[in-house]
Amino acid sequence: MTTHWWRHAAIYQIYVRSFADGDGDGTGDLAGVRSRLAYLRELGVDALWFTPWYTSPMADGGYDVADYRDIDPRFGTLADAERLITEAHGHGLRVLIDLVPNHCSDQHAWFRAALAAGPGSPERERFWFAPGRGADGGLPPNDWTSYFGGSAWTRVTEADGSAGPWYLHMFAPEQPDLNWEHPEVRAEFEDVLRFWLDRGVDGFRIDVAHGLAKKPGLPDVGADPDVTDLPYQDCDAVHGIYRSWRKILDTYDGERTFVGEVWLPTPEQSARYLRPDELHSAFNFEFLCCAWDADALRRVVEETLAGLAPVGAPATWVLSNHDTIRHVTRYGREDTSFDMGDKRLLDPSDPVLGRRRARAAALLTLSLPGGVYVYQGDELGLPEVQDLPDELLQDPTYVRSGGADRGRDGCRVPLPWSGFGTSLGFSPDGAAPSWLPQPVSWSGLTAQAQQDDPESVLNLYRTALALRRARLVPLPETLTWVDAGPGTVCFDRQDGFRCLLNASSAAVGLPDGARVLLASGPLPGGTVPPDTTVWLSL
Ligand code: GLC
């Protein structure tokens, strides 16, 4: 029976380094995940997305892959991954893994061979090596900048000590971009897909899905670029790659799926990745970046649904991930929007306001038609950790921006599970300190502390996910807008279900005769106070 599970799944993102530490080295691992599968089943999610678990020097938290067919020893072994996939399936949880095809690690066998083989060698053709500009080739081959800051090119020092050509890296220098015009690159990733599909994974999250193909000739961006036509993203050739991958995926049973990290300026551009013979779904970054403003939120929902309708793809809703500011903190700021480029500074945040809005946002997100992502710790109401000591920061964006950008470590702090000890149950007793320290105040936010508190964020998520599965998942993927007054977002799904978010500064009344199914906060005197969402049965 076809379930189309991926159209409406609640998918929990596991950032492996920070989820749970089974072996006591202070870093999360697959044994830690295996020990927490019952927690995830009870939370009520349908699937798990694992950020890269492959062998990696961790120059970018595992998004620098040295071997796509093995597990990093910090996380475990290939046998552990196979056991984890089987056990997750036993709990009714599907497994998606992160595929990183735009670039590999500079420690990958191919890149090491390319450096060793020297200029002009076939080994270098799998990457983008190019001579520099200027008299002695001392300037980068073009004007592209890395997403992490600085030039996107690094010059090679050859084995004899001479200055060689440059190689392209759209992220850190330890992440050389692969040349997707090369047939061996295409063949290799098709084989990697099969390797993991044969091991039972239910699908892949595609890293930087818009970036694999580059404009022929690698032309300069120029001084005043058209952001919808950049030479290093959304180039037409990328679609041929996904068509060939989709053919492979569809030869496997069990409704396997692709979700793309497609981060582009317009919904039309993103929708092209979701044509019926390409990827199944993509992250909704417009929603993630949207300010806490009723009109803006409603507009994003409308544009999302309208943008996807022509290709028939499901919407997805996401509030946070391992690259962004945790939304509890974002929503407590004066500027509640998020921009990958410039919103990771130390703006002050009101934690009480942020948590109230985060609870309201959770109910909004979980009642919209389509799929939903929960980033680990969302369900505990974790804030961003903004005061990590400089010397502990590991994200390359911190160093490459000269400290101007604090980087992404503040949303990657290990989860608090239980107790009051040094790692709050993240590691076993007596373990090494965790790779990033948790704030002492998180002892009040542990899963254990929230477990039996009916008002906790954890129990809000559990109840909402269960209600969503029972009541909303079976419904058609449509909604009808309702005018509930200024500053509100209100819509009906079918079967008498209504979601009402009050993002205004005044209380609003409940509709006559409506029964409250769930509320993100107290409803004093039968009204919905500011920054509160209610689910109603009409
Ligand atoms: C994606 C990942 C991010 C990583 C980058 C480079 O944006 O989500 O964490 O740094 O790709 O692989």
Side-chain angles (χ1 to χ4, degrees):
M1 194 184 90
T2 307
T3 63
H4 294 299
W5 70 274
W6 48 272
R7 296 193 70 95
H8 44 68
I11 300 178
Y12 186 93
Q13 179 187 354
I14 295 190
Y15 190 72
V16 182
R17 285 206 281 182
S18 303
F19 183 73
D21 170 19
D23 67 5
D25 66 354
T27 295
D29 50 38
L30 302 192
V33 179
R34 289 173 58 205
S35 73
R36 303 284 178 184
L37 287 171
Y39 168 86
L40 296 165
R41 184 196 62 228
E42 284 159 21
L43 179 60
V45 293
D46 304 298
L48 311 176
W49 149 34
F50 291 92
T51 54
W53 58 17
Y54 316 101
T55 317
S56 167
M58 302 283 162
D60 181 23
Y63 284 93
D64 47 320
V65 179
D67 182 350
Y68 291 87
R69 295 181 186 78
D70 206 352
I71 299 295
D72 192 89
R74 297 174 192 84
F75 297 154
T77 63
L78 187 56
D80 291 333
E82 289 171 345
R83 273 193 285 270
L84 172 52
I85 295 166
T86 305
E87 289 170 8
H89 287 164
H91 283 276
L93 297 163
R94 303 204 190 228
V95 173
L96 306 184
I97 61 171
D98 220 308
L99 189 68
V100 189
N102 179 69
H103 45 264
C104 60
S105 161
D106 62 351
Q107 298 306 309
H108 189 282
W110 275 7
F111 195 72
R112 292 162 68 117
L115 288 185
S121 61
E123 285 84 350
R124 289 200 177 179
E125 286 169 16
R126 296 175 182 137
F127 298 91
W128 295 105
F129 283 85
R133 287 179 176 174
D136 61 353
L139 298 172
N142 70 21
D143 66 356
W144 297 4
T145 51
S146 153
Y147 291 108
F148 288 167
S151 172
W153 296 89
T154 290
R155 194 166 195 185
V156 174
T157 302
E158 301 295 0
D160 63 2
S162 64
W166 301 64
Y167 69 89
L168 177 69
H169 52 85
M170 291 309 300
F171 293 87
E174 296 88 351
Q175 295 166 294
D177 274 50
L178 288 156
N179 172 7
W180 275 89
E181 290 172 17
H182 198 299
E184 284 174 23
V185 172
R186 294 186 65 133
E188 169 68 0
F189 277 87
E190 293 182 2
D191 193 63
V192 168
L193 287 176
R194 289 196 182 90
F195 180 88
W196 290 104
L197 289 165
D198 289 340
R199 279 165 181 74
V201 303
D202 299 281
F204 301 87
R205 177 261 188 193
I206 317 290
D207 189 58
V208 198
H210 50 270
L212 278 51
K214 313 291 191 275
K215 199 170 261 184
L218 312 186
D220 277 340
V221 169
D224 185 19
D226 171 1
V227 292
T228 64
D229 188 27
L230 294 170
Y232 49 78
Q233 65 181 37
D234 197 31
C235 297
D236 280 343
V238 80
H239 297 286
I241 299 169
Y242 300 134
R243 286 196 195 99
S244 69
W245 289 7
R246 182 65 180 263
K247 286 203 186 88
I248 293 170
L249 198 82
D250 286 347
T251 63
Y252 284 80
D253 61 2
E255 295 188 79
R256 316 230 188 169
T257 194
F258 286 124
V259 51
E261 186 202 23
V262 184
W263 194 303
L264 289 169
T266 70
E268 293 73 28
Q269 286 176 288
S270 305
R272 295 174 66 223
Y273 292 74
L274 306 180
R275 288 176 287 195
D277 58 349
E278 297 192 38
L279 309 180
H280 296 76
S281 64
F283 296 97
N284 188 341
F285 292 116
E286 287 73 31
F287 187 73
L288 186 151
C289 293
C290 186
W292 188 249
D293 173 88
D295 293 341
L297 286 165
R298 175 170 163 164
R299 202 174 325 116
V300 172
V301 174
E302 283 173 328
E303 284 174 5
T304 299
L305 298 175
L308 294 168
V311 290
T316 67
W317 311 102
V318 56
L319 294 168
S320 283
N321 68 30
H322 65 294
D323 293 328
T324 65
I325 290 276
R326 283 198 179 267
H327 58 278
V328 166
T329 299
R330 177 162 63 87
Y331 287 146
R333 288 179 170 176
E334 192 172 321
D335 181 351
T336 51
S337 67
F338 177 77
D339 178 328
M340 202 53 172
D342 64 7
K343 293 286 168 62
R344 270 176 265 125
L345 306 173
L346 292 172
D347 302 11
S349 173
D350 173 346
V352 176
L353 180 65
R355 191 153 301 130
R356 190 163 73 234
R357 288 176 171 170
R359 292 175 64 105
L363 291 200
L364 171 69
T365 307
L366 291 167
S367 60
L368 288 164
V372 65
Y373 286 85
V374 179
Y375 175 45
Q376 65 179 39
D378 285 358
E379 83 282 16
L380 301 176
L382 297 187
E384 184 85 1
V385 181
Q386 295 190 275
D387 57 357
L388 288 167
D390 292 358
E391 64 277 11
L392 292 184
L393 296 179
Q394 303 209 3
D395 184 359
T397 60
Y398 173 67
V399 176
R400 285 183 68 85
S401 70
D405 184 332
R406 298 283 299 166
R408 301 164 292 180
D409 293 308
C411 65
R412 299 174 174 180
V413 171
L415 289 194
W417 287 99
S418 58
F420 301 89
T422 41
S423 77
L424 299 176
F426 171 70
S427 299
D429 286 346
S434 50
W435 72 279
L436 287 174
Q438 300 143 315
V440 177
S441 60
W442 280 17
S443 60
L445 295 176
T446 62
Q448 185 189 48
Q450 299 196 38
Q451 163 78 25
D452 299 320
D453 172 4
E455 306 302 327
S456 68
V457 181
L458 179 57
N459 280 315
L460 181 73
Y461 267 88
R462 283 184 178 157
T463 309
L465 283 161
L467 257 169
R468 178 183 184 273
R469 186 180 274 172
R471 247 195 109 137
L472 300 177
V473 164
L475 298 178
E477 290 167 34
T478 56
L479 58 74
T480 308
W481 294 107
V482 177
D483 183 1
T488 64
V489 179
C490 187
F491 56 87
D492 288 346
R493 302 286 305 272
Q494 291 189 5
D495 279 350
F497 179 93
R498 175 170 293 181
C499 174
L500 167 60
L501 157 64
N502 179 11
S504 78
S505 52
V508 297
L510 286 170
D512 287 343
R515 184 165 62 86
V516 175
L517 297 169
L518 186 61
S520 67
L523 304 177
T527 62
V528 185
D531 300 317
T532 303
T533 299
V534 277
W535 285 3
L536 302 169
S537 181
L538 300 179

